[in-house]
Amino acid sequence: MQTHVPIRNALISVSDKLGLADFARGLVAAGVKIYSTGGTRKFLEQVGLAIEDVGSYTGFPEMMDGRVKTLHPKIFGGILQRHDRADDRKSAAEHGIIPFELVVVNLYPFEDTVARTGVTDEEAIEQIDIGGPSLIRAAAKNHRFTAVATAPEQYATILDQVSSTGGTTLPLRRELAAAAFTRTARYDGAISEYFASSTAQDDFPLGIQLSLHRKKVLRYGENPHQRGALYSLTESGGAHLVSAHQRHGKELSYNNLLDLDSALAIVRTMPDYAAVVVKHNNPCGAATTTSQAVAIRRALDGDPVSAFGSVIGVNRTLEAASAEVLCEPDRFVEAIVAPDYEPAAVEILTTRPKWKANVRLMEVGPIGEQPAAWQFRHIAGGMLVQDADLAHNETDKWQVVTDSKPTDHEMADLRLAWIVARHVKSNAVVLVKDGMLVGVGAGQMSRVDSVEIALRKAGPRAVGSVLGSDAFFPFADSIPMAAEGGVTAIVQPGGSRRDEDVIAACNQNRIAMIFTGHRHFKH
């Protein structure tokens, strides 16, 4: 099998010109003749390179506004010919076909086009590339003899080999082929999803193409005996862990990523200076106030035992004063996620505590609202798909259903309790006091158990606290327990057949209760 293939002729036809000028100059300097089309040829000629016109080579001009230009036997014969086959070489010679040992193609920006607000069907259709995917697939199929570049980040590696050896190696061509087929699969998937979405009768298309790009292989998965990797589902913007910049620390683990994602989701919806402490994918501390350092301290103090070895999320630039709090004795932080960091904060976190060398500092950029999206959940044999739980539940739609009315102070705590409860595993009950999470009951089979655990976690701090519940109380039995613990107000969706019993129990115990009308199960 031929491993090293000299590159004499390259076919270049790209939509994205990023890095192309330097790449083409390097190829020409290495003795490669470049053939190109339309806009790409003009671009390369403008930077001073002599380019062979594809139309002149094939004897067939571009037509139909560029829809037909590379779809020609002299092009595909040059890409697909097998150099070790005498019959292929004979056919090429008979028809004047030259070999193309390198094909450089990226595709019309269909994904970017359909992502624009107000794009028309005609605009979308015109960005469906025909020749590009065909060229890519042909070159990738014949990777024993043809290298294919589909992204600017591949140019440097290809040019290094061409400059030093005059050609490419089989391992590189095979790697490029794999990337090429991945690219065309993602492209076709985007087109398929566009048409499926536009023809769906119920907003859920008949087919969904999930195209994932591997970002990194992780040390292991949820447990050491499981393998794990991180894949990117989309290249869209926004603050998220997949595209975050790691400022410091050892490699992120599978569980770190899950916890950091949860921390980011929570602080994204919190007001003022906010901080959250996450352990095993549940918040164990959270606080909002007008000082970030105070918010972090109060979040850590919500459950100091659980906070050891946790991840921290904040919704503003991490300040030096906050770093001082995190470095206090007996603190241990696995990872932090923040929009960005003050230089002094980075210096403190990476030089002072015992865990300084290991703490992961993740920078995600400005935190805005999470864009509307679908959520996918794997089950054996398939996937569940749903809208992301992004309901805002404005407080002006809340309904006070008891004789007692919440005070302004209680209302502020109820809002925080409701924000946090939606991010706790069901059945979820949270206690908040003075802008601080003081007790969490998570993942229990009965709501009574969740109330009991939250009260036990809060201890004496439960007195004067408010309670948030992610779903309705099916019975009134939790209310006397909450009252005995010192709870003064409750926020919950309502909707139980026994709502009247629950309201009566609250009135009997002088507890204010709000119905929100929204449930927030998180299984």
Side-chain angles (χ1 to χ4, degrees), residues 110 121 125 189-208 374:
F110 178 84
D121 200 46
I125 289 172
I191 296 170
S192 171
E193 189 168 319
Y194 171 77
F195 278 95
S197 298
S198 63
T199 57
Q201 299 300 311
D202 53 7
D203 293 332
F204 285 99
L206 295 177
I208 297 175
W374 284 337

Short mmCIF file of all heavy atoms in Angstrom, two decimals, residues 110 121 125 189-208 374:
data_model
loop_
_atom_site.label_atom_id
_atom_site.label_comp_id
_atom_site.label_asym_id
_atom_site.label_seq_id
_atom_site.Cartn_x
_atom_site.Cartn_y
_atom_site.Cartn_z
N PHE A 110 -24.54 26.78 5.24
CA PHE A 110 -25.97 26.49 5.42
C PHE A 110 -26.38 26.65 6.88
O PHE A 110 -27.42 27.26 7.18
CB PHE A 110 -26.28 25.06 4.95
CG PHE A 110 -27.72 24.68 5.14
CD1 PHE A 110 -28.67 25.02 4.20
CD2 PHE A 110 -28.13 23.97 6.27
CE1 PHE A 110 -30.01 24.68 4.37
CE2 PHE A 110 -29.46 23.63 6.45
CZ PHE A 110 -30.40 23.99 5.50
N ASP A 121 -36.97 30.58 2.90
CA ASP A 121 -36.72 29.24 2.38
C ASP A 121 -35.79 29.29 1.17
O ASP A 121 -34.90 28.45 1.02
CB ASP A 121 -38.05 28.59 2.00
CG ASP A 121 -37.96 27.08 1.92
OD1 ASP A 121 -37.38 26.48 2.84
OD2 ASP A 121 -38.48 26.51 0.95
N ILE A 125 -32.18 27.33 0.81
CA ILE A 125 -31.96 26.35 -0.25
C ILE A 125 -30.73 26.70 -1.08
O ILE A 125 -29.95 25.83 -1.47
CB ILE A 125 -33.21 26.22 -1.13
CG1 ILE A 125 -34.32 25.51 -0.33
CG2 ILE A 125 -32.92 25.46 -2.42
CD1 ILE A 125 -35.66 25.50 -1.02
N GLY A 189 -26.99 16.41 8.02
CA GLY A 189 -27.89 16.37 9.16
C GLY A 189 -28.57 17.70 9.39
O GLY A 189 -29.77 17.76 9.70
N ALA A 190 -27.82 18.79 9.23
CA ALA A 190 -28.40 20.12 9.39
C ALA A 190 -29.47 20.39 8.34
O ALA A 190 -30.53 20.97 8.64
CB ALA A 190 -27.30 21.18 9.32
N ILE A 191 -29.19 19.98 7.12
CA ILE A 191 -30.17 20.16 6.04
C ILE A 191 -31.42 19.32 6.30
O ILE A 191 -32.55 19.79 6.16
CB ILE A 191 -29.54 19.80 4.68
CG1 ILE A 191 -28.39 20.76 4.36
CG2 ILE A 191 -30.59 19.84 3.57
CD1 ILE A 191 -27.54 20.35 3.17
N SER A 192 -31.20 18.07 6.69
CA SER A 192 -32.32 17.19 6.99
C SER A 192 -33.18 17.75 8.11
O SER A 192 -34.41 17.76 8.03
CB SER A 192 -31.78 15.80 7.39
OG SER A 192 -32.82 14.98 7.88
N GLU A 193 -32.53 18.27 9.16
CA GLU A 193 -33.27 18.81 10.29
C GLU A 193 -34.05 20.06 9.88
O GLU A 193 -35.18 20.28 10.36
CB GLU A 193 -32.31 19.13 11.43
CG GLU A 193 -33.00 19.49 12.73
CD GLU A 193 -32.04 19.52 13.90
OE1 GLU A 193 -31.17 18.63 13.98
OE2 GLU A 193 -32.17 20.44 14.74
N TYR A 194 -33.46 20.87 9.02
CA TYR A 194 -34.17 22.08 8.56
C TYR A 194 -35.47 21.70 7.84
O TYR A 194 -36.53 22.26 8.13
CB TYR A 194 -33.26 22.88 7.62
CG TYR A 194 -33.97 24.02 6.93
CD1 TYR A 194 -34.24 25.20 7.62
CD2 TYR A 194 -34.39 23.90 5.60
CE1 TYR A 194 -34.90 26.25 6.98
CE2 TYR A 194 -35.05 24.95 4.97
CZ TYR A 194 -35.30 26.12 5.67
OH TYR A 194 -35.96 27.14 5.04
N PHE A 195 -35.39 20.75 6.93
CA PHE A 195 -36.58 20.36 6.18
C PHE A 195 -37.57 19.63 7.07
O PHE A 195 -38.78 19.83 6.96
CB PHE A 195 -36.20 19.51 4.98
CG PHE A 195 -35.74 20.31 3.79
CD1 PHE A 195 -34.40 20.54 3.58
CD2 PHE A 195 -36.65 20.85 2.91
CE1 PHE A 195 -33.97 21.29 2.50
CE2 PHE A 195 -36.25 21.60 1.83
CZ PHE A 195 -34.89 21.83 1.62
N ALA A 196 -37.05 18.78 7.97
CA ALA A 196 -37.96 18.06 8.87
C ALA A 196 -38.69 19.02 9.80
O ALA A 196 -39.89 18.87 10.05
CB ALA A 196 -37.17 17.03 9.68
N SER A 197 -37.97 20.03 10.30
CA SER A 197 -38.59 20.99 11.21
C SER A 197 -39.63 21.84 10.49
O SER A 197 -40.68 22.16 11.06
CB SER A 197 -37.51 21.91 11.82
OG SER A 197 -36.60 21.17 12.58
N SER A 198 -39.37 22.20 9.24
CA SER A 198 -40.29 23.07 8.52
C SER A 198 -41.53 22.33 8.05
O SER A 198 -42.53 22.96 7.68
CB SER A 198 -39.59 23.70 7.32
OG SER A 198 -39.18 22.71 6.38
N THR A 199 -41.50 21.01 8.05
CA THR A 199 -42.65 20.24 7.60
C THR A 199 -43.36 19.51 8.74
O THR A 199 -44.39 18.90 8.54
CB THR A 199 -42.24 19.19 6.55
OG1 THR A 199 -41.22 18.34 7.10
CG2 THR A 199 -41.69 19.87 5.31
N ALA A 200 -42.80 19.60 9.98
CA ALA A 200 -43.41 18.91 11.12
C ALA A 200 -44.74 19.55 11.47
O ALA A 200 -44.89 20.77 11.46
CB ALA A 200 -42.48 18.94 12.32
N GLN A 201 -45.72 18.73 11.83
CA GLN A 201 -47.05 19.22 12.17
C GLN A 201 -47.16 19.59 13.65
O GLN A 201 -48.04 20.35 14.03
CB GLN A 201 -48.11 18.15 11.83
CG GLN A 201 -48.14 17.80 10.35
CD GLN A 201 -48.47 18.99 9.48
OE1 GLN A 201 -49.42 19.71 9.75
NE2 GLN A 201 -47.68 19.22 8.44
N ASP A 202 -46.27 19.07 14.50
CA ASP A 202 -46.41 19.28 15.94
C ASP A 202 -45.13 19.84 16.55
O ASP A 202 -44.89 19.69 17.74
CB ASP A 202 -46.76 17.96 16.63
CG ASP A 202 -45.79 16.84 16.26
OD1 ASP A 202 -44.78 17.13 15.58
OD2 ASP A 202 -46.03 15.70 16.67
N ASP A 203 -44.29 20.49 15.74
CA ASP A 203 -43.04 21.10 16.19
C ASP A 203 -41.93 20.10 16.49
O ASP A 203 -40.79 20.50 16.72
CB ASP A 203 -43.24 22.00 17.42
CG ASP A 203 -44.08 23.21 17.10
OD1 ASP A 203 -44.05 23.65 15.94
OD2 ASP A 203 -44.75 23.73 18.01
N PHE A 204 -42.25 18.83 16.52
CA PHE A 204 -41.21 17.81 16.69
C PHE A 204 -41.05 17.07 15.36
O PHE A 204 -41.97 16.41 14.89
CB PHE A 204 -41.58 16.81 17.79
CG PHE A 204 -41.40 17.37 19.17
CD1 PHE A 204 -42.49 17.87 19.87
CD2 PHE A 204 -40.16 17.40 19.77
CE1 PHE A 204 -42.34 18.40 21.15
CE2 PHE A 204 -39.99 17.93 21.05
CZ PHE A 204 -41.08 18.42 21.73
N PRO A 205 -39.89 17.19 14.72
CA PRO A 205 -39.70 16.56 13.42
C PRO A 205 -39.74 15.05 13.49
O PRO A 205 -39.51 14.45 14.55
CB PRO A 205 -38.31 17.06 12.99
CG PRO A 205 -37.61 17.39 14.25
CD PRO A 205 -38.68 17.89 15.18
N LEU A 206 -40.01 14.42 12.35
CA LEU A 206 -40.04 12.96 12.30
C LEU A 206 -38.67 12.36 12.56
O LEU A 206 -38.55 11.25 13.06
CB LEU A 206 -40.57 12.50 10.94
CG LEU A 206 -42.03 12.86 10.63
CD1 LEU A 206 -42.39 12.42 9.22
CD2 LEU A 206 -42.96 12.21 11.65
N GLY A 207 -37.61 13.09 12.19
CA GLY A 207 -36.26 12.61 12.43
C GLY A 207 -35.38 13.73 12.96
O GLY A 207 -35.55 14.90 12.60
N ILE A 208 -34.47 13.40 13.84
CA ILE A 208 -33.51 14.36 14.39
C ILE A 208 -32.11 13.81 14.19
O ILE A 208 -31.82 12.67 14.57
CB ILE A 208 -33.75 14.61 15.88
CG1 ILE A 208 -35.13 15.23 16.12
CG2 ILE A 208 -32.67 15.51 16.47
CD1 ILE A 208 -35.49 15.40 17.57
N TRP A 374 -33.79 22.14 22.95
CA TRP A 374 -34.32 20.85 23.34
C TRP A 374 -33.35 20.17 24.28
O TRP A 374 -32.13 20.36 24.21
CB TRP A 374 -34.52 19.95 22.12
CG TRP A 374 -35.73 20.31 21.31
CD1 TRP A 374 -36.84 20.99 21.73
CD2 TRP A 374 -35.96 19.98 19.93
NE1 TRP A 374 -37.73 21.12 20.70
CE2 TRP A 374 -37.23 20.51 19.59
CE3 TRP A 374 -35.22 19.31 18.97
CZ2 TRP A 374 -37.77 20.37 18.33
CZ3 TRP A 374 -35.76 19.17 17.71
CH2 TRP A 374 -37.02 19.70 17.40
#
